[in-house]
Amino acid sequence: MAVKYSRVCTYPFRFLSGSSKCPGSKGAWKTQRGLSSLMNSVNHYTSPIESFKLDDLQITFGKPSQLKPKPDVSKLVFGKHYTDYMFEANWDMSTGWDKPRISPIHDLTIHPGSKVLHYAIELFEGMKAYRGVDGKVRIFRPDLNMQRLLRGARRALLPEFNGTEFISCIKRLVTLEEEWIPHSETSSLYIRPTFIGTDSSLGVALSQQALLFVILCPVGPYFATGFKPVSLLADPQYVRAWPGGCGDTKLGANYAPTVFVQKTAEESGLQQVLWLYGQDHQITEVGTMNIFVFMKNHKGEKELITPPLNGLILPGVTRQSILDLTREWKDFKVTEKSITMKELIQANKEKRVSILLSICTTDT
């Protein structure tokens, strides 16, 4: 099938939405070098304040009438069903962190002037708990999520906390909700930590109050097509991230502008967006996912390529895990480098491209 490279086109590559389920794999977390001096200096208002701790966790149990029936695992979709409990921890600049708490899930009460509602001072993470074939429950590399969450908090000038203590609190929440973890190899319990600025004063400035909370969802495949290949929209006029921006963090402000482009793709009969950047149309991400290209290079070598962490790419946990594992295998060359649409199209014409693989930036 010939490809006509125009401003909007669908590229006929085999594209799979993949997953990695290898709890316990090791590997260092690579971060973008050179965080701005501002980000490195904002701790003047957080460093004296101790983090919340697991030992102070308060748990309020719901009444039996408040507990919901579990959904049918075979009909699970992403982000539609919530478990019975949630985690919360409030922070105030003058008093520091309150005691963390777990309570029945409920609506949040925040002032209509809260900064999260006006200036998008907000970030989130995505993690998963799996039930293994041995019956044990595992959370996939949460330490990497904590590193990314804390880096995003610095970027949004939200307070820091002890990531190890937060992971311990999340584990307690997951243990409490263990019955919600599907007995399935294609489903899991999605963990959504969210951090919002709740300061009720208008004005573009750092938030002097914040709320960190966690909600849980049993989920199936992210795409409606399941684990089948998907088609992509690649249009250079739409840009997801740029140098000096915050595309390498999970700020909520990164995602709202992409909804329009995603809808544009769907109206064209496509499932996702292939994000390009620059005059040479560098391939960066797919929707909210990292991308890998497995191909033969000009030397005839098998090579796995993924874009580098240059500020345009979100450092995905699964991305790092794939790099760790494939480099350990040493079965083919593994490279972090930029690849353009022109290079990909030429390689495809020469039948050197084996597969394009999208990898969720959390752990799916």
Side-chain angles (χ1 to χ4, degrees), residues 158-187:
L158 288 170
E160 295 195 52
F161 50 84
N162 185 303
T164 301
E165 292 289 343
F166 189 30
I167 291 173
S168 296
C169 291
I170 290 174
K171 288 180 178 179
R172 182 66 60 85
L173 177 63
V174 170
T175 300
L176 183 63
E177 299 282 52
E178 184 174 347
E179 291 185 5
W180 284 85
I181 304 175
H183 292 262
S184 169
E185 294 184 0
T186 59
S187 303

mmCIF file of all heavy atoms in Angstrom, residues 158-187:
data_model
loop_
_atom_site.group_PDB
_atom_site.id
_atom_site.type_symbol
_atom_site.label_atom_id
_atom_site.label_comp_id
_atom_site.label_asym_id
_atom_site.label_seq_id
_atom_site.Cartn_x
_atom_site.Cartn_y
_atom_site.Cartn_z
ATOM 1 N N LEU A 158 4.025 22.694 43.657
ATOM 2 C CA LEU A 158 3.242 22.046 44.696
ATOM 3 C C LEU A 158 4.206 21.406 45.696
ATOM 4 O O LEU A 158 5.355 21.091 45.349
ATOM 5 C CB LEU A 158 2.303 20.996 44.095
ATOM 6 C CG LEU A 158 1.111 21.563 43.326
ATOM 7 C CD1 LEU A 158 0.388 20.459 42.556
ATOM 8 C CD2 LEU A 158 0.142 22.277 44.267
ATOM 9 N N PRO A 159 3.794 21.197 46.929
ATOM 10 C CA PRO A 159 4.721 20.742 47.977
ATOM 11 C C PRO A 159 5.212 19.312 47.748
ATOM 12 O O PRO A 159 4.532 18.492 47.135
ATOM 13 C CB PRO A 159 3.882 20.827 49.249
ATOM 14 C CG PRO A 159 2.483 20.667 48.773
ATOM 15 C CD PRO A 159 2.431 21.387 47.464
ATOM 16 N N GLU A 160 6.381 19.044 48.264
ATOM 17 C CA GLU A 160 6.930 17.699 48.174
ATOM 18 C C GLU A 160 6.515 16.866 49.388
ATOM 19 O O GLU A 160 5.951 17.384 50.354
ATOM 20 C CB GLU A 160 8.445 17.756 48.055
ATOM 21 C CG GLU A 160 8.909 18.407 46.756
ATOM 22 C CD GLU A 160 10.365 18.143 46.462
ATOM 23 O OE1 GLU A 160 10.775 16.961 46.486
ATOM 24 O OE2 GLU A 160 11.096 19.109 46.203
ATOM 25 N N PHE A 161 6.810 15.595 49.301
ATOM 26 C CA PHE A 161 6.488 14.658 50.377
ATOM 27 C C PHE A 161 7.426 13.474 50.235
ATOM 28 O O PHE A 161 8.174 13.363 49.251
ATOM 29 C CB PHE A 161 5.022 14.209 50.291
ATOM 30 C CG PHE A 161 4.636 13.728 48.921
ATOM 31 C CD1 PHE A 161 4.882 12.422 48.522
ATOM 32 C CD2 PHE A 161 4.040 14.602 48.017
ATOM 33 C CE1 PHE A 161 4.546 11.982 47.250
ATOM 34 C CE2 PHE A 161 3.702 14.169 46.735
ATOM 35 C CZ PHE A 161 3.955 12.863 46.358
ATOM 36 N N ASN A 162 7.400 12.592 51.197
ATOM 37 C CA ASN A 162 8.230 11.399 51.163
ATOM 38 C C ASN A 162 7.554 10.345 50.282
ATOM 39 O O ASN A 162 6.489 9.823 50.627
ATOM 40 C CB ASN A 162 8.439 10.865 52.590
ATOM 41 C CG ASN A 162 9.402 9.698 52.638
ATOM 42 O OD1 ASN A 162 9.191 8.681 51.978
ATOM 43 N ND2 ASN A 162 10.458 9.835 53.422
ATOM 44 N N GLY A 163 8.170 10.037 49.144
ATOM 45 C CA GLY A 163 7.564 9.098 48.206
ATOM 46 C C GLY A 163 7.397 7.708 48.778
ATOM 47 O O GLY A 163 6.423 7.011 48.470
ATOM 48 N N THR A 164 8.326 7.278 49.620
ATOM 49 C CA THR A 164 8.232 5.956 50.228
ATOM 50 C C THR A 164 7.018 5.870 51.150
ATOM 51 O O THR A 164 6.299 4.858 51.156
ATOM 52 C CB THR A 164 9.514 5.637 51.011
ATOM 53 O OG1 THR A 164 10.637 5.678 50.116
ATOM 54 C CG2 THR A 164 9.429 4.254 51.640
ATOM 55 N N GLU A 165 6.785 6.937 51.905
ATOM 56 C CA GLU A 165 5.614 6.961 52.785
ATOM 57 C C GLU A 165 4.325 6.942 51.967
ATOM 58 O O GLU A 165 3.347 6.272 52.333
ATOM 59 C CB GLU A 165 5.650 8.195 53.690
ATOM 60 C CG GLU A 165 6.759 8.198 54.721
ATOM 61 C CD GLU A 165 6.533 7.182 55.838
ATOM 62 O OE1 GLU A 165 5.398 6.704 56.003
ATOM 63 O OE2 GLU A 165 7.512 6.881 56.561
ATOM 64 N N PHE A 166 4.317 7.666 50.848
ATOM 65 C CA PHE A 166 3.122 7.695 50.007
ATOM 66 C C PHE A 166 2.853 6.321 49.398
ATOM 67 O O PHE A 166 1.702 5.867 49.338
ATOM 68 C CB PHE A 166 3.286 8.749 48.921
ATOM 69 C CG PHE A 166 2.032 9.011 48.121
ATOM 70 C CD1 PHE A 166 0.772 8.855 48.675
ATOM 71 C CD2 PHE A 166 2.114 9.423 46.797
ATOM 72 C CE1 PHE A 166 -0.378 9.101 47.944
ATOM 73 C CE2 PHE A 166 0.968 9.676 46.051
ATOM 74 C CZ PHE A 166 -0.276 9.509 46.623
ATOM 75 N N ILE A 167 3.895 5.655 48.951
ATOM 76 C CA ILE A 167 3.724 4.304 48.415
ATOM 77 C C ILE A 167 3.137 3.380 49.478
ATOM 78 O O ILE A 167 2.250 2.563 49.199
ATOM 79 C CB ILE A 167 5.058 3.750 47.888
ATOM 80 C CG1 ILE A 167 5.492 4.508 46.627
ATOM 81 C CG2 ILE A 167 4.945 2.253 47.583
ATOM 82 C CD1 ILE A 167 6.877 4.134 46.146
ATOM 83 N N SER A 168 3.611 3.517 50.709
ATOM 84 C CA SER A 168 3.095 2.684 51.799
ATOM 85 C C SER A 168 1.616 2.952 52.037
ATOM 86 O O SER A 168 0.824 2.026 52.288
ATOM 87 C CB SER A 168 3.893 2.938 53.079
ATOM 88 O OG SER A 168 5.246 2.554 52.929
ATOM 89 N N CYS A 169 1.210 4.207 51.947
ATOM 90 C CA CYS A 169 -0.211 4.549 52.104
ATOM 91 C C CYS A 169 -1.040 3.971 50.965
ATOM 92 O O CYS A 169 -2.156 3.468 51.174
ATOM 93 C CB CYS A 169 -0.379 6.066 52.160
ATOM 94 S SG CYS A 169 0.274 6.847 53.655
ATOM 95 N N ILE A 170 -0.493 4.025 49.746
ATOM 96 C CA ILE A 170 -1.199 3.457 48.594
ATOM 97 C C ILE A 170 -1.344 1.944 48.763
ATOM 98 O O ILE A 170 -2.404 1.367 48.469
ATOM 99 C CB ILE A 170 -0.455 3.802 47.286
ATOM 100 C CG1 ILE A 170 -0.591 5.297 46.980
ATOM 101 C CG2 ILE A 170 -0.995 2.969 46.123
ATOM 102 C CD1 ILE A 170 0.220 5.748 45.784
ATOM 103 N N LYS A 171 -0.308 1.292 49.240
ATOM 104 C CA LYS A 171 -0.386 -0.158 49.465
ATOM 105 C C LYS A 171 -1.478 -0.497 50.472
ATOM 106 O O LYS A 171 -2.201 -1.487 50.313
ATOM 107 C CB LYS A 171 0.965 -0.686 49.941
ATOM 108 C CG LYS A 171 2.042 -0.722 48.864
ATOM 109 C CD LYS A 171 3.347 -1.266 49.424
ATOM 110 C CE LYS A 171 4.415 -1.359 48.349
ATOM 111 N NZ LYS A 171 5.701 -1.863 48.884
ATOM 112 N N ARG A 172 -1.601 0.333 51.511
ATOM 113 C CA ARG A 172 -2.644 0.095 52.504
ATOM 114 C C ARG A 172 -4.031 0.239 51.863
ATOM 115 O O ARG A 172 -4.946 -0.554 52.131
ATOM 116 C CB ARG A 172 -2.493 1.081 53.659
ATOM 117 C CG ARG A 172 -3.513 0.884 54.790
ATOM 118 C CD ARG A 172 -3.321 -0.429 55.517
ATOM 119 N NE ARG A 172 -2.004 -0.533 56.121
ATOM 120 C CZ ARG A 172 -1.681 -0.048 57.313
ATOM 121 N NH1 ARG A 172 -2.598 0.574 58.047
ATOM 122 N NH2 ARG A 172 -0.464 -0.204 57.796
ATOM 123 N N LEU A 173 -4.183 1.238 50.996
ATOM 124 C CA LEU A 173 -5.454 1.435 50.293
ATOM 125 C C LEU A 173 -5.759 0.255 49.372
ATOM 126 O O LEU A 173 -6.890 -0.256 49.349
ATOM 127 C CB LEU A 173 -5.415 2.739 49.493
ATOM 128 C CG LEU A 173 -6.639 3.061 48.634
ATOM 129 C CD1 LEU A 173 -7.885 3.248 49.503
ATOM 130 C CD2 LEU A 173 -6.386 4.311 47.787
ATOM 131 N N VAL A 174 -4.758 -0.199 48.631
ATOM 132 C CA VAL A 174 -4.948 -1.331 47.715
ATOM 133 C C VAL A 174 -5.284 -2.592 48.498
ATOM 134 O O VAL A 174 -6.139 -3.392 48.083
ATOM 135 C CB VAL A 174 -3.693 -1.528 46.840
ATOM 136 C CG1 VAL A 174 -3.778 -2.843 46.060
ATOM 137 C CG2 VAL A 174 -3.518 -0.359 45.887
ATOM 138 N N THR A 175 -4.623 -2.794 49.637
ATOM 139 C CA THR A 175 -4.930 -3.958 50.476
ATOM 140 C C THR A 175 -6.379 -3.921 50.945
ATOM 141 O O THR A 175 -7.070 -4.952 50.955
ATOM 142 C CB THR A 175 -3.984 -3.997 51.689
ATOM 143 O OG1 THR A 175 -2.637 -4.099 51.237
ATOM 144 C CG2 THR A 175 -4.304 -5.185 52.581
ATOM 145 N N LEU A 176 -6.843 -2.746 51.317
ATOM 146 C CA LEU A 176 -8.222 -2.588 51.763
ATOM 147 C C LEU A 176 -9.204 -2.913 50.635
ATOM 148 O O LEU A 176 -10.293 -3.450 50.882
ATOM 149 C CB LEU A 176 -8.438 -1.153 52.249
ATOM 150 C CG LEU A 176 -9.818 -0.795 52.830
ATOM 151 C CD1 LEU A 176 -10.102 -1.620 54.085
ATOM 152 C CD2 LEU A 176 -9.883 0.694 53.136
ATOM 153 N N GLU A 177 -8.797 -2.635 49.396
ATOM 154 C CA GLU A 177 -9.677 -2.821 48.237
ATOM 155 C C GLU A 177 -9.282 -4.040 47.398
ATOM 156 O O GLU A 177 -9.604 -4.113 46.210
ATOM 157 C CB GLU A 177 -9.632 -1.572 47.358
ATOM 158 C CG GLU A 177 -10.091 -0.300 48.044
ATOM 159 C CD GLU A 177 -11.596 -0.204 48.146
ATOM 160 O OE1 GLU A 177 -12.223 -1.173 48.646
ATOM 161 O OE2 GLU A 177 -12.154 0.818 47.716
ATOM 162 N N GLU A 178 -8.617 -5.006 48.015
ATOM 163 C CA GLU A 178 -8.078 -6.133 47.257
ATOM 164 C C GLU A 178 -9.144 -6.909 46.490
ATOM 165 O O GLU A 178 -8.884 -7.456 45.410
ATOM 166 C CB GLU A 178 -7.320 -7.077 48.198
ATOM 167 C CG GLU A 178 -6.641 -8.224 47.479
ATOM 168 C CD GLU A 178 -5.771 -9.068 48.400
ATOM 169 O OE1 GLU A 178 -5.507 -8.620 49.538
ATOM 170 O OE2 GLU A 178 -5.382 -10.177 47.985
ATOM 171 N N GLU A 179 -10.349 -6.970 47.018
ATOM 172 C CA GLU A 179 -11.413 -7.710 46.329
ATOM 173 C C GLU A 179 -11.770 -7.081 44.987
ATOM 174 O O GLU A 179 -12.407 -7.725 44.149
ATOM 175 C CB GLU A 179 -12.656 -7.781 47.217
ATOM 176 C CG GLU A 179 -12.477 -8.664 48.454
ATOM 177 C CD GLU A 179 -13.769 -8.785 49.231
ATOM 178 O OE1 GLU A 179 -14.806 -8.269 48.762
ATOM 179 O OE2 GLU A 179 -13.760 -9.402 50.320
ATOM 180 N N TRP A 180 -11.388 -5.819 44.786
ATOM 181 C CA TRP A 180 -11.678 -5.138 43.524
ATOM 182 C C TRP A 180 -10.653 -5.459 42.433
ATOM 183 O O TRP A 180 -10.851 -5.093 41.274
ATOM 184 C CB TRP A 180 -11.719 -3.632 43.747
ATOM 185 C CG TRP A 180 -12.965 -3.141 44.418
ATOM 186 C CD1 TRP A 180 -13.220 -3.081 45.754
ATOM 187 C CD2 TRP A 180 -14.135 -2.625 43.770
ATOM 188 N NE1 TRP A 180 -14.469 -2.562 45.990
ATOM 189 C CE2 TRP A 180 -15.056 -2.275 44.781
ATOM 190 C CE3 TRP A 180 -14.496 -2.416 42.434
ATOM 191 C CZ2 TRP A 180 -16.299 -1.731 44.504
ATOM 192 C CZ3 TRP A 180 -15.737 -1.877 42.153
ATOM 193 C CH2 TRP A 180 -16.632 -1.541 43.178
ATOM 194 N N ILE A 181 -9.566 -6.114 42.785
ATOM 195 C CA ILE A 181 -8.540 -6.431 41.789
ATOM 196 C C ILE A 181 -9.003 -7.636 40.980
ATOM 197 O O ILE A 181 -9.208 -8.716 41.528
ATOM 198 C CB ILE A 181 -7.189 -6.730 42.467
ATOM 199 C CG1 ILE A 181 -6.774 -5.550 43.350
ATOM 200 C CG2 ILE A 181 -6.121 -7.015 41.417
ATOM 201 C CD1 ILE A 181 -5.520 -5.803 44.150
ATOM 202 N N PRO A 182 -9.188 -7.483 39.668
ATOM 203 C CA PRO A 182 -9.753 -8.570 38.854
ATOM 204 C C PRO A 182 -8.875 -9.823 38.843
ATOM 205 O O PRO A 182 -7.648 -9.739 38.878
ATOM 206 C CB PRO A 182 -9.827 -7.950 37.449
ATOM 207 C CG PRO A 182 -9.829 -6.469 37.671
ATOM 208 C CD PRO A 182 -8.964 -6.261 38.870
ATOM 209 N N HIS A 183 -9.534 -10.966 38.804
ATOM 210 C CA HIS A 183 -8.844 -12.242 38.599
ATOM 211 C C HIS A 183 -8.768 -12.457 37.092
ATOM 212 O O HIS A 183 -9.501 -13.258 36.512
ATOM 213 C CB HIS A 183 -9.600 -13.387 39.279
ATOM 214 C CG HIS A 183 -9.597 -13.316 40.769
ATOM 215 N ND1 HIS A 183 -8.713 -14.036 41.549
ATOM 216 C CD2 HIS A 183 -10.355 -12.587 41.636
ATOM 217 C CE1 HIS A 183 -8.934 -13.777 42.827
ATOM 218 N NE2 HIS A 183 -9.921 -12.908 42.913
ATOM 219 N N SER A 184 -7.869 -11.724 36.450
ATOM 220 C CA SER A 184 -7.805 -11.734 34.994
ATOM 221 C C SER A 184 -6.422 -11.287 34.540
ATOM 222 O O SER A 184 -5.802 -10.427 35.165
ATOM 223 C CB SER A 184 -8.870 -10.789 34.415
ATOM 224 O OG SER A 184 -8.668 -10.577 33.026
ATOM 225 N N GLU A 185 -5.947 -11.883 33.436
ATOM 226 C CA GLU A 185 -4.656 -11.491 32.881
ATOM 227 C C GLU A 185 -4.763 -10.255 31.999
ATOM 228 O O GLU A 185 -3.750 -9.670 31.624
ATOM 229 C CB GLU A 185 -4.054 -12.652 32.076
ATOM 230 C CG GLU A 185 -3.694 -13.864 32.923
ATOM 231 C CD GLU A 185 -3.008 -14.954 32.120
ATOM 232 O OE1 GLU A 185 -2.816 -14.747 30.902
ATOM 233 O OE2 GLU A 185 -2.673 -16.001 32.697
ATOM 234 N N THR A 186 -5.962 -9.856 31.644
ATOM 235 C CA THR A 186 -6.155 -8.689 30.776
ATOM 236 C C THR A 186 -6.765 -7.511 31.512
ATOM 237 O O THR A 186 -7.084 -6.499 30.893
ATOM 238 C CB THR A 186 -7.047 -9.059 29.568
ATOM 239 O OG1 THR A 186 -8.319 -9.537 30.047
ATOM 240 C CG2 THR A 186 -6.397 -10.131 28.724
ATOM 241 N N SER A 187 -6.931 -7.620 32.820
ATOM 242 C CA SER A 187 -7.514 -6.546 33.619
ATOM 243 C C SER A 187 -6.648 -6.303 34.854
ATOM 244 O O SER A 187 -5.826 -7.135 35.222
ATOM 245 C CB SER A 187 -8.947 -6.891 34.045
ATOM 246 O OG SER A 187 -9.763 -7.150 32.922
#
